[in-house]
Amino acid sequence: MTAAFPASGTILVTGITGFVGSHVAEGFLAKGYRIRGTLRSAAKAKSLEIRWNAAGYAGKFEFVSADLSAENAFLEAAHGVDAIAHVASPVTFTAADPYRDVINPAVQGTLSVLRAAKATPSVKRVVITSSVVSMFQQKSGHTYTEADWNDWASDVVKASGTEASGFVTYLASKAEAERAAWKFVEDEKPAFTVSTICPVYIWGPPINSPSSANGAGLTVQMLYDWITGVTTQLDSSPSFNAYVDVRDVAKAHVEAIIRPNANGRYLLSAGTASWTEIAEVIHELYPERPIPKPAAEPDAPVKDVIYGSRAVKELGIEYKPLTTTMKYMLDEMIRSVEGASH
Ligand code: NAP
């Protein structure tokens, strides 16, 4: 068993202004830790500052600038911290250059975090936000576990170059970054423990209040576009369609740092749902709003089994149901984008 993690201390959170990073940081603040968050734009942290000061966390958080691609990006930021939650990564399906814009920053950023941790003796734990896409198999009807690896997306991007689809590029970036992390652990045998959190589609209420739909993060914006009539037609569901609440994802990061036995990969999924099933849940919650039509072909039920049971057993996650996640998320979007209360 690893030594107990201290009940107070400082956690470095990368990508603190993002959808997931802001929740992860708030999760640590709620447990009594101090936070140092990395960002690229101080302006994006303004609403977090207001929110956390109002919640009584004044003086418990600070922000520092860091870009994933910069040399030794996190060395200074890591100074004196007890643990690092590395959340930042390019989240886009529309990059002009797959390597320059997505894959290289994802891999280099992860390695910079691990090198900074190794150079900082106070660091006891590192948790990295990976994704189920680093496990994703090209067959349907698969039961996902932490033993699965996506060993194909990188080859597709290599073969296609700048013609590679943005989606496959993102898949490759997450698989390569997570592989690089585990190779670092194998080669360097660091004194700190490492966990990777591999969530499926993350939804839930954004806390870094988006004043426009596209400030909320890609996945949240996608469903807000449904109820505002921007998206009128659903795609067919991929076999791996699954969901998890952002608050459960944040908790998994916190528990992976503070629980003595936590380490290794954690698939994070509350269950599967096709686009049509998700649209039905949303339509029941907001019957007066538009909802996209199902895919032209009948939308097949999701055949894969994707459920993160290791995170339930070892991190104490109790997954929120889809309806709860959708209601909190879309109420928050309606409030902050439209200035209305639901
Ligand atoms: P997000 O809101 O776009 O957050 C991404 C964060 O990464 C932002 O803080 C962003 O900074 C930062 N970032 C991107 N490129 C950077 C760079 N070159 N240098 C420094 N920072 C950079 O997306 P998210 O959904 O919260 O994603 C957070 C993490 O969760 C990512 O690792 C993602 O792969 C993972 N994940 C997300 C989902 C999902 O469904 N949302 C599912 C599985 C895994 P800016 O604010 O300055 O842009």
Side-chain angles (χ1 to χ4, degrees), residues 14-22 38-41 44 66-70 74 86-92 100-101 105-106 109 128-133 170 173-174 197-203 208 215-220 242 244 246 249 253 268:
T14 70
I16 197 161
T17 52
F19 173 48
V20 176
S22 51
T38 76
L39 44 65
R40 294 191 288 185
S41 151
K44 276 199 184 174
D67 192 289
L68 293 169
S69 302
F74 301 103
H86 176 46
V87 186
S89 205
V91 181
T92 172
R100 183 198 63 200
D101 300 336
I128 297 169
T129 320
S130 185
S131 168
V132 72
V133 301
Y170 175 71
S173 77
K174 297 306 287 181
I197 306 294
C198 302
V200 294
Y201 271 120
I202 305 171
W203 284 299
N208 195 5
L218 203 62
T219 44
V220 177
V244 66
V246 67
V249 176
H253 285 74
L268 224 67

Side-chain angles (χ1 to χ4, degrees), residues 35 48 162 192 291:
I35 288 299
L48 288 178
T162 49
F192 51 84
I291 199 78

